[in-house]
């Protein structure tokens, strides 16, 4: 029994070492990726459902690894959050997105907001608000063309989040709640936050075609959103059945492969035309 215990310990400790060294390796290569321009932003159009007009774009990060090819954000954003690298990485993302949106505007394309995903860790960093202010100044983008997508996890530190969100609103940026309906969120708190928009999570949009509840949750979120004066956007739309349902229930904006996949910069220009 003693033997086995010892072996078990060795097994676990080498497994743990293996895991943490893999993490460190990934963290190091992520730092390098940032320095060596392996990171880039794709943009997914957001479309007004009734008119088909493009009314926004969401920036989504991509890591083009020289050996492994594209690595998806779900694989490295959580690590960046855990290690704190999300703070410098997040600033880089914001700068890049604002600069690009300003460039499109200067090229004469229609002016629409760019939505940028913000991790809670990043939002609650001490100089987040001043960083956003500086980035807007540096890039010359009018603050009304920047939208920040945050998740319901901001509710865990509601006092601090409220202060930060109010400061961001003073800058003139828009606030959107991402993955709405999936997290811990209390409507009574939500009501007190300066929110402009809610994004119905893809899982509920999927339910429209699954007929499991005939889209009851989607209908409920749209109505609630309108009653609270939020703009409502549905994400992950893939079929015309979903579009028709959302149109019928007056959801204003849609995003998903039905309209367009996330696109590299050059192709967004084409989409705008
Ligand atoms: P998210 O913010 O909920 O983004 C939506 C995800 O769904 C994106 O995946 C997008 O490419 C994908 N998507 C869009 N339309 C459809 C559709 O019709 N069908 C399907 N199946 N998928 C669709 P992506 O780009 O892999 O991003 C995954 C997540 O990583 C994002 O989820 C977001 O939480 C995070 N993320 C991405 N970019 C950033 C970033 O710049 N900063 C931070 N902090 N997080 C990011
Ligand atoms: Ca998002
Ligand atoms: Ca989302
Ligand atoms: Ca999501």
């Amino acid at each position: 029994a003693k033997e086995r215990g010892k072996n078990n310990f060795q097994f676990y400790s080498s497994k743990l070492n293996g895991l943490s060294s893999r993490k460190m390796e990934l963290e190091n290569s992520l730092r390098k990726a940032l320095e060596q321009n392996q990171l880039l932003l794709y943009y997914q159009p957001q479309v007004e459902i009734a008119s088909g007009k493009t009314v926004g774009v969401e920036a989504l990060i991509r890591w083009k690894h020289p050996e492994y090819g594209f690595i998806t954000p779900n694989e490295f954003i959580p690590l960046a959050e855990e290690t704190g690298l999300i703070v410098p990485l997040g600033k880089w993302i914001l700068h890049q997105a604002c600069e690009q949106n300003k460039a499109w505007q200067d090229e004469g394309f229609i002016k629409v907001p760019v939505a940028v995903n913000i991790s809670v860790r990043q939002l609650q960093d001490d100089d987040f608000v001043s960083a956003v202010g500086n980035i807007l100044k540096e890039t010359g983008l009018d603050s009304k063309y920047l939208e920040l997508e945050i998740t319901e996890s901001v509710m865990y530190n509601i006092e601090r989040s409220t202060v930060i969100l109010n400061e961001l609103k003073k800058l003139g940026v828009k606030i959107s709640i991402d993955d709405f309906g999936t997290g811990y969120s209390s409507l009574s708190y939500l009501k007190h936050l300066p929110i402009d928009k809610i994004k119905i999570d893809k899982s509920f949009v999927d339910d429209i075609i699954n007929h499991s509840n005939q889209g009851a949750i989607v209908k409920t979120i749209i109505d609630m959103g309108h009653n609270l004066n939020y703009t409502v956007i549905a994400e992950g739309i893939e079929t015309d059945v979903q579009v028709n349902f959302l149109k019928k229930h007056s959801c204003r904006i849609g995003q998903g492969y039905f309209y367009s996949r996330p696109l590299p910069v050059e192709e967004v220009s084409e989409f705008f035309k």
Side-chain angles (χ1 to χ4, degrees):
K2 211 174 177 191
E3 258 324 281
R4 201 187 288 154
K6 201 173 158 196
N7 283 339
N8 267 345
F9 174 73
Q10 279 174 346
F11 171 71
Y12 279 120
S13 67
S14 68
K15 203 174 157 188
L16 281 178
N17 281 336
L19 196 70
S20 62
S21 69
R22 246 189 46 215
K23 258 191 191 166
M24 272 170 60
E25 204 182 297
L26 192 65
E27 193 194 343
N28 281 335
S29 49
L30 189 52
R31 274 182 211 284
K32 253 190 240 143
L34 191 55
E35 287 160 15
Q36 298 176 351
N37 298 320
Q38 295 169 16
L39 299 174
L40 67 164
L41 298 182
Y42 271 40
Y43 297 88
Q44 187 176 33
Q46 300 179 331
V47 175
E48 188 171 63
I49 293 173
S51 66
K53 271 196 322 197
T54 303
V55 291
V57 289
E58 177 181 3
L60 294 157
I61 194 162
R62 296 292 178 261
W63 180 358
K64 210 173 174 181
H65 195 283
E67 272 172 70
Y68 308 132
F70 279 101
I71 303 177
T72 75
N74 286 330
E75 292 177 77
F76 64 90
I77 291 290
L79 179 81
E81 285 167 353
E82 214 178 288
T83 57
L85 193 61
I86 193 67
V87 174
L89 176 60
K91 280 180 197 160
W92 179 85
I93 293 168
L94 264 171
H95 194 279
Q96 198 70 13
C98 290
E99 191 172 65
Q100 184 58 60
N101 199 19
K102 177 72 166 111
W104 279 322
Q105 297 188 351
D106 290 347
E107 284 170 50
F109 294 114
I110 41 156
K111 295 187 176 191
V112 296
V114 64
V116 179
N117 292 285
I118 305 294
S119 300
V120 201
R121 171 101 185 237
Q122 191 189 353
L123 183 82
Q124 303 202 330
D125 184 67
D126 281 337
D127 66 11
F128 181 69
V129 177
S130 66
V132 172
N134 288 337
I135 288 167
L136 288 168
K137 248 182 247 148
E138 283 160 20
T139 59
L141 183 72
D142 186 331
S143 61
K144 70 179 177 208
Y145 296 115
L146 174 63
E147 187 173 292
L148 305 178
E149 291 194 2
I150 58 176
T151 63
E152 288 163 285
S153 46
V154 298
M155 301 286 175
Y156 285 114
N157 197 341
I158 189 74
E159 287 85 10
R160 186 160 163 68
S161 296
T162 308
V163 172
I164 295 168
L165 293 179
N166 280 321
E167 285 175 11
L168 288 167
K169 284 305 294 180
K170 270 189 228 146
L171 287 179
V173 305
K174 302 222 156 45
I175 309 290
S176 169
I177 301 279
D178 204 354
D179 304 338
F180 185 83
T182 61
Y184 160 82
S185 92
S186 148
L187 287 180
S188 56
Y189 278 131
L190 194 66
K191 218 173 51 183
H192 295 293
L193 291 176
I195 291 160
D196 301 286
K197 205 173 187 178
I198 52 177
K199 276 187 104 163
I200 308 175
D201 190 69
K202 180 177 188 303
S203 57
F204 303 124
V205 176
D206 288 344
D207 277 348
I208 296 172
I209 24 181
N210 295 338
H211 297 293
S212 51
N213 58 20
Q214 283 100 26
I217 299 181
V218 171
K219 264 190 280 184
T220 306
I221 297 177
I222 295 170
D223 289 343
M224 184 221 65
H226 288 160
N227 289 335
L228 292 170
N229 267 323
Y230 302 143
T231 300
V232 182
I233 169 168
E235 73 174 2
I237 304 173
E238 294 178 347
T239 68
D240 53 356
V241 174
Q242 291 168 320
V243 172
N244 291 335
F245 179 94
L246 291 162
K247 201 185 271 175
K248 185 170 147 207
H249 294 285
S250 310
C251 178
R252 193 163 90 80
I253 306 174
Q255 183 180 348
Y257 296 170
F258 177 83
Y259 294 107
S260 168
R261 291 187 169 253
L263 304 169
V265 171
E266 321 80 64
E267 290 179 37
V268 180
S269 314
E270 286 305 307
F271 193 91
F272 279 151
K273 286 172 196 162

